[in-house]
Amino acid sequence: MKNNKKQVVITGVGALSGYGAGKDIFWGNLKNSMPVFKEIRDIRMTPLRSKMGGQITDFKLEEYDPILLRANKFCQYSFATAKKAIEDSKLSFNDDNSYQTGILLGTNFGHPVIQQYADMLNSVKSQYIYPNTATSLIAIKYGIRGIIMNVLSGESSSASAVELALNLIRRGKYHTILVGGAEVLSRMALLYYAQTDEISPGEQGYEERCTPFDKNRTGTILSEGSAFIVMEDREHAQKRGAKVYCEIAGCGASYIPGFSSNNGGSNRIEISMQNAMRDSGLSKSNIELIYGAANGSKRFDKTEMEAIEKTFNGTNNLYVSSIKSIIGETQGASGVFNILTAIFTLQTGMIVPIAHFEKSEHDLNFVKNPIYKKDINLILCNSISYSGGSVSIMVSKFNG
Amino acid sequence: MSHNSDQNLILDMEEKQIVITGMGTISSIGNNKDDFFQSLVSGRCGIQELTKEDYPRHIPQKSEPSYAGRIKEFDPSTYFSEDEIEQFDYPTLIILKAVGEAIKESKLSISGQDISVIIGSAVGLRPTYDRLNASLRAYSSGERKFLPQPQYYPTVVMEFMMNTVLNAIFKKFNLQGDGLCLSTICASCATTIGLGTELIRNGRSNIVICVGFDNFHPRQNTVFSHFKMLSDEKSAPFDKSSRGFQLAEGVGVLVLEDLSTARKRDTYIYGKICGSTITNDAYHIVIPSPSAKEFAKAIELSIEEANIKPEDIDYISLIGRGSKMSDMKELEGIKMIFGDLAGEIPINSITSYTGYSLGASSILNFITTLLEMKEKVILPIRNFKNPHSKYKMNFVKEKPLKKEINLALVCSQSFAGVNTAIILKRYEE
């Protein structure tokens, strides 16, 4: 117990992105600070000015399971990553533990909606249109019998799922919850973010790149991908001799409605960060690094910088970075990708920089180049939804 | 503006008691709670034949039924100002009305209070086929201006994202706190109740507004007819001759909170949640597990959590879709837990009054149970005559049964096999 609450740790990790499948490939590319973006293929891009995205191009269906043969990409990607995370955790499920194990999967769009309408008329494909099928496939394959649920709160969905899982495990009914996020790249998603002026390069003549927090940022670059973590009760993990990556020390959430005009945009992030600190029993002076929600958005990055300034006013040695210049905006999966990056940093001591960052209109300690700091213990990860949600997660080194 | 501020924190040592202090509903049988219950008592059915005028663009396939339980006579101008009608679209206004009913009844004072809103829906705000036709240009170009009703949606995507509803609820009622949207298909709304309970017990939230809704659109009839579950004949849950069911839409809203905060206000307390469990069959993506083992487990774990025995249960509220496979599974699960008692405890379902409203059904039966507890009566299963030979249980039929319910078991099911079992206790001072 810590802070009068059960400790919850991460014992398994899985990732799938434009780099390929598996955590090692993902972490390897973080190490080299290698952006995932390539020219998008097989999607009609006109009239978009953008050309780039983090697209998955080499998905090897044969490595997974025949159960996926009729499924759509959303189900395939989610399943693939959950499989890797479960194998990584070395957990197996049987009558003793299947009811105390659950799956929470967050997504923004799930299976693209126009495709859903087309699939509705097909008696096979219509079974796979809802995101619940993805969680169900995982449950069926591994015999997981507790709660299986989808969080559909926009871009912060998987972070929200982490917060829920933390509460469920602390409550005691569940000792293991697989938490993940998945997002598929589609023409509709690209058009949508372009129409709301969120995608780089934005106006004519600007460079297509993703540089969160930078003064001359021009928008974000979308990526598809899936990331899963196995969250587990600390005692349960230690009893079975599990390898522990880190601890989820606390979470906080807030919702303030508002869209383009963003009155209250920074408030919700301030509140979720404060709630996360209170929940963990740790203070702002313990936090050494923030991996932000910032993705290069002209309007939303600003709100996060304001929130960080207000909340951490006067705190020294706080590094601020964002992984999205490298992995892109994975929307519903971004919350868990952030955690995977935090784990990477805790293990290697390397803080992932903001690629091509030059300067910002705010005076925070932004990470332009990789920094090596072996004694980092506590990282705060933020995730926001464009419609008004904010979730903050405290990831800490596990000291037993 | 702080979440869970110290004056609201209650000692972790004491187990919290989760009660329901406000309810709201809109469905095919009534646009408020009282009308809803009156319709049930008088045996009124909300399922009607669909006409070409209702959905002019829909082309029904051969085996598709032409019936549904639609919400009727909902005139937004009765409940909302012109400004509000311009700000929120029609489906959202319906949900807001039900949320307003629940908040008003609970006498919650909103200002300075942190409130969590959890929204559950099987299908969400997926627009009707008519709207997709009309909106196709908008979806294909990403341009909001091509939407038929752009004034409601800051972006194209908000037209079909559940966040739109979350946004609207926070704005209309000026709430502060946090919110999330979830789905476990047909058990979605019961899941919001289960999660809300856990979050209050954990001290993470003080007050949770659970919102469950599902809209009807005829494409759903097409999809479900592939699985041969629908029928044009009257559905009769648990009846051996029932050939299938009809789909419907509905909204249900509950206000959940800890008893200690409820007591401070002069508000009616409907009941207490003593046990709540969610399991899934892990069997097939659509077909429920024939063994009903996982559903039975959900009931078993809830009974254990409530610290009672099966014989303490006075009444069981099931979904009762009226399709053989799911009906049998529900009854098999009950039989596994209750054994011989299964022949005595009264069982019912309201689905043949309202139609099967997907996720909303799992909150409508919950609301019905609390109203039955209050009025001390159990409603009969509409159209029910003869049970299957294997499941001769105490199905309440033909006329309402006067009964004082102390402990009720409320269950729900979904495709992909999610099961929920919640135990409710009548509240006494």
PDB file of all heavy atoms in Angstrom, chain B residues 27-44:
ATOM      1  N   SER B  27     -38.750   7.221 -23.465  1.00  0.00           N
ATOM      2  CA  SER B  27     -38.756   5.980 -24.239  1.00  0.00           C
ATOM      3  C   SER B  27     -40.012   5.952 -25.094  1.00  0.00           C
ATOM      4  O   SER B  27     -40.764   6.925 -25.130  1.00  0.00           O
ATOM      5  CB  SER B  27     -38.757   4.781 -23.301  1.00  0.00           C
ATOM      6  OG  SER B  27     -39.990   4.744 -22.612  1.00  0.00           O
ATOM      7  N   SER B  28     -40.244   4.795 -25.716  1.00  0.00           N
ATOM      8  CA  SER B  28     -41.411   4.700 -26.597  1.00  0.00           C
ATOM      9  C   SER B  28     -42.723   4.729 -25.821  1.00  0.00           C
ATOM     10  O   SER B  28     -43.793   4.845 -26.425  1.00  0.00           O
ATOM     11  CB  SER B  28     -41.322   3.416 -27.417  1.00  0.00           C
ATOM     12  OG  SER B  28     -41.328   2.303 -26.548  1.00  0.00           O
ATOM     13  N   ILE B  29     -42.648   4.610 -24.477  1.00  0.00           N
ATOM     14  CA  ILE B  29     -43.901   4.607 -23.714  1.00  0.00           C
ATOM     15  C   ILE B  29     -44.035   5.794 -22.770  1.00  0.00           C
ATOM     16  O   ILE B  29     -44.831   5.785 -21.849  1.00  0.00           O
ATOM     17  CB  ILE B  29     -44.095   3.287 -22.934  1.00  0.00           C
ATOM     18  CG1 ILE B  29     -42.903   3.030 -22.001  1.00  0.00           C
ATOM     19  CG2 ILE B  29     -44.327   2.142 -23.896  1.00  0.00           C
ATOM     20  CD1 ILE B  29     -43.151   1.870 -21.049  1.00  0.00           C
ATOM     21  N   GLY B  30     -43.232   6.821 -22.980  1.00  0.00           N
ATOM     22  CA  GLY B  30     -43.421   7.991 -22.122  1.00  0.00           C
ATOM     23  C   GLY B  30     -42.228   8.904 -22.135  1.00  0.00           C
ATOM     24  O   GLY B  30     -41.097   8.454 -22.207  1.00  0.00           O
ATOM     25  N   ASN B  31     -42.495  10.188 -22.067  1.00  0.00           N
ATOM     26  CA  ASN B  31     -41.416  11.167 -22.126  1.00  0.00           C
ATOM     27  C   ASN B  31     -40.988  11.667 -20.756  1.00  0.00           C
ATOM     28  O   ASN B  31     -40.267  12.655 -20.638  1.00  0.00           O
ATOM     29  CB  ASN B  31     -41.829  12.336 -23.029  1.00  0.00           C
ATOM     30  CG  ASN B  31     -41.907  11.885 -24.476  1.00  0.00           C
ATOM     31  OD1 ASN B  31     -41.403  10.830 -24.835  1.00  0.00           O
ATOM     32  ND2 ASN B  31     -42.549  12.687 -25.313  1.00  0.00           N
ATOM     33  N   ASN B  32     -41.457  11.014 -19.713  1.00  0.00           N
ATOM     34  CA  ASN B  32     -40.951  11.277 -18.369  1.00  0.00           C
ATOM     35  C   ASN B  32     -41.225  10.036 -17.531  1.00  0.00           C
ATOM     36  O   ASN B  32     -41.916   9.110 -17.972  1.00  0.00           O
ATOM     37  CB  ASN B  32     -41.599  12.522 -17.746  1.00  0.00           C
ATOM     38  CG  ASN B  32     -43.097  12.368 -17.635  1.00  0.00           C
ATOM     39  OD1 ASN B  32     -43.586  11.430 -17.001  1.00  0.00           O
ATOM     40  ND2 ASN B  32     -43.831  13.255 -18.269  1.00  0.00           N
ATOM     41  N   LYS B  33     -40.694  10.045 -16.326  1.00  0.00           N
ATOM     42  CA  LYS B  33     -40.761   8.874 -15.468  1.00  0.00           C
ATOM     43  C   LYS B  33     -42.193   8.452 -15.127  1.00  0.00           C
ATOM     44  O   LYS B  33     -42.528   7.268 -15.143  1.00  0.00           O
ATOM     45  CB  LYS B  33     -40.027   9.225 -14.171  1.00  0.00           C
ATOM     46  CG  LYS B  33     -39.229   8.097 -13.598  1.00  0.00           C
ATOM     47  CD  LYS B  33     -38.307   8.566 -12.501  1.00  0.00           C
ATOM     48  CE  LYS B  33     -38.937   9.417 -11.439  1.00  0.00           C
ATOM     49  NZ  LYS B  33     -38.641  10.849 -11.604  1.00  0.00           N
ATOM     50  N   ASP B  34     -43.023   9.420 -14.808  1.00  0.00           N
ATOM     51  CA  ASP B  34     -44.387   9.093 -14.401  1.00  0.00           C
ATOM     52  C   ASP B  34     -45.180   8.482 -15.549  1.00  0.00           C
ATOM     53  O   ASP B  34     -45.869   7.476 -15.378  1.00  0.00           O
ATOM     54  CB  ASP B  34     -45.114  10.345 -13.888  1.00  0.00           C
ATOM     55  CG  ASP B  34     -44.531  10.816 -12.570  1.00  0.00           C
ATOM     56  OD1 ASP B  34     -43.987   9.958 -11.830  1.00  0.00           O
ATOM     57  OD2 ASP B  34     -44.596  12.021 -12.275  1.00  0.00           O
ATOM     58  N   ASP B  35     -45.073   9.103 -16.735  1.00  0.00           N
ATOM     59  CA  ASP B  35     -45.769   8.547 -17.902  1.00  0.00           C
ATOM     60  C   ASP B  35     -45.251   7.155 -18.216  1.00  0.00           C
ATOM     61  O   ASP B  35     -46.004   6.261 -18.603  1.00  0.00           O
ATOM     62  CB  ASP B  35     -45.566   9.447 -19.125  1.00  0.00           C
ATOM     63  CG  ASP B  35     -46.370  10.739 -19.015  1.00  0.00           C
ATOM     64  OD1 ASP B  35     -47.154  10.853 -18.046  1.00  0.00           O
ATOM     65  OD2 ASP B  35     -46.204  11.610 -19.878  1.00  0.00           O
ATOM     66  N   PHE B  36     -43.948   6.988 -18.080  1.00  0.00           N
ATOM     67  CA  PHE B  36     -43.309   5.695 -18.332  1.00  0.00           C
ATOM     68  C   PHE B  36     -43.952   4.629 -17.450  1.00  0.00           C
ATOM     69  O   PHE B  36     -44.425   3.594 -17.932  1.00  0.00           O
ATOM     70  CB  PHE B  36     -41.807   5.839 -18.051  1.00  0.00           C
ATOM     71  CG  PHE B  36     -41.011   4.565 -18.063  1.00  0.00           C
ATOM     72  CD1 PHE B  36     -40.729   3.908 -19.252  1.00  0.00           C
ATOM     73  CD2 PHE B  36     -40.510   4.028 -16.877  1.00  0.00           C
ATOM     74  CE1 PHE B  36     -39.969   2.747 -19.272  1.00  0.00           C
ATOM     75  CE2 PHE B  36     -39.753   2.859 -16.884  1.00  0.00           C
ATOM     76  CZ  PHE B  36     -39.483   2.217 -18.084  1.00  0.00           C
ATOM     77  N   PHE B  37     -44.015   4.902 -16.159  1.00  0.00           N
ATOM     78  CA  PHE B  37     -44.543   3.900 -15.242  1.00  0.00           C
ATOM     79  C   PHE B  37     -46.035   3.689 -15.440  1.00  0.00           C
ATOM     80  O   PHE B  37     -46.529   2.559 -15.374  1.00  0.00           O
ATOM     81  CB  PHE B  37     -44.238   4.287 -13.789  1.00  0.00           C
ATOM     82  CG  PHE B  37     -44.352   3.126 -12.841  1.00  0.00           C
ATOM     83  CD1 PHE B  37     -43.459   2.074 -12.932  1.00  0.00           C
ATOM     84  CD2 PHE B  37     -45.350   3.073 -11.875  1.00  0.00           C
ATOM     85  CE1 PHE B  37     -43.556   0.978 -12.082  1.00  0.00           C
ATOM     86  CE2 PHE B  37     -45.450   1.988 -11.020  1.00  0.00           C
ATOM     87  CZ  PHE B  37     -44.551   0.939 -11.119  1.00  0.00           C
ATOM     88  N   GLN B  38     -46.751   4.775 -15.716  1.00  0.00           N
ATOM     89  CA  GLN B  38     -48.189   4.658 -15.965  1.00  0.00           C
ATOM     90  C   GLN B  38     -48.465   3.756 -17.162  1.00  0.00           C
ATOM     91  O   GLN B  38     -49.386   2.937 -17.142  1.00  0.00           O
ATOM     92  CB  GLN B  38     -48.810   6.040 -16.235  1.00  0.00           C
ATOM     93  CG  GLN B  38     -49.412   6.693 -15.014  1.00  0.00           C
ATOM     94  CD  GLN B  38     -50.263   5.721 -14.236  1.00  0.00           C
ATOM     95  OE1 GLN B  38     -49.902   5.308 -13.127  1.00  0.00           O
ATOM     96  NE2 GLN B  38     -51.376   5.317 -14.815  1.00  0.00           N
ATOM     97  N   SER B  39     -47.659   3.909 -18.196  1.00  0.00           N
ATOM     98  CA  SER B  39     -47.835   3.066 -19.379  1.00  0.00           C
ATOM     99  C   SER B  39     -47.618   1.607 -19.030  1.00  0.00           C
ATOM    100  O   SER B  39     -48.372   0.729 -19.468  1.00  0.00           O
ATOM    101  CB  SER B  39     -46.835   3.448 -20.468  1.00  0.00           C
ATOM    102  OG  SER B  39     -47.094   4.725 -20.946  1.00  0.00           O
ATOM    103  N   LEU B  40     -46.617   1.349 -18.218  1.00  0.00           N
ATOM    104  CA  LEU B  40     -46.335  -0.031 -17.821  1.00  0.00           C
ATOM    105  C   LEU B  40     -47.516  -0.588 -17.023  1.00  0.00           C
ATOM    106  O   LEU B  40     -47.980  -1.697 -17.269  1.00  0.00           O
ATOM    107  CB  LEU B  40     -45.053  -0.098 -16.988  1.00  0.00           C
ATOM    108  CG  LEU B  40     -43.744   0.204 -17.720  1.00  0.00           C
ATOM    109  CD1 LEU B  40     -42.582   0.286 -16.736  1.00  0.00           C
ATOM    110  CD2 LEU B  40     -43.458  -0.849 -18.777  1.00  0.00           C
ATOM    111  N   VAL B  41     -48.010   0.193 -16.091  1.00  0.00           N
ATOM    112  CA  VAL B  41     -49.114  -0.266 -15.251  1.00  0.00           C
ATOM    113  C   VAL B  41     -50.372  -0.516 -16.079  1.00  0.00           C
ATOM    114  O   VAL B  41     -51.109  -1.480 -15.834  1.00  0.00           O
ATOM    115  CB  VAL B  41     -49.390   0.766 -14.124  1.00  0.00           C
ATOM    116  CG1 VAL B  41     -50.720   0.514 -13.474  1.00  0.00           C
ATOM    117  CG2 VAL B  41     -48.279   0.741 -13.096  1.00  0.00           C
ATOM    118  N   SER B  42     -50.616   0.355 -17.059  1.00  0.00           N
ATOM    119  CA  SER B  42     -51.834   0.164 -17.858  1.00  0.00           C
ATOM    120  C   SER B  42     -51.612  -0.748 -19.057  1.00  0.00           C
ATOM    121  O   SER B  42     -52.490  -0.909 -19.897  1.00  0.00           O
ATOM    122  CB  SER B  42     -52.388   1.517 -18.306  1.00  0.00           C
ATOM    123  OG  SER B  42     -51.389   2.258 -18.959  1.00  0.00           O
ATOM    124  N   GLY B  43     -50.438  -1.355 -19.160  1.00  0.00           N
ATOM    125  CA  GLY B  43     -50.196  -2.343 -20.203  1.00  0.00           C
ATOM    126  C   GLY B  43     -50.008  -1.771 -21.597  1.00  0.00           C
ATOM    127  O   GLY B  43     -50.165  -2.471 -22.597  1.00  0.00           O
ATOM    128  N   ARG B  44     -49.668  -0.517 -21.689  1.00  0.00           N
ATOM    129  CA  ARG B  44     -49.536   0.119 -23.009  1.00  0.00           C
ATOM    130  C   ARG B  44     -48.238  -0.293 -23.695  1.00  0.00           C
ATOM    131  O   ARG B  44     -47.187  -0.378 -23.065  1.00  0.00           O
ATOM    132  CB  ARG B  44     -49.573   1.641 -22.845  1.00  0.00           C
ATOM    133  CG  ARG B  44     -49.928   2.379 -24.121  1.00  0.00           C
ATOM    134  CD  ARG B  44     -50.443   3.766 -23.782  1.00  0.00           C
ATOM    135  NE  ARG B  44     -49.404   4.656 -23.315  1.00  0.00           N
ATOM    136  CZ  ARG B  44     -48.564   5.334 -24.110  1.00  0.00           C
ATOM    137  NH1 ARG B  44     -48.669   5.207 -25.424  1.00  0.00           N
ATOM    138  NH2 ARG B  44     -47.657   6.109 -23.589  1.00  0.00           N
TER     139      ARG B  44
END
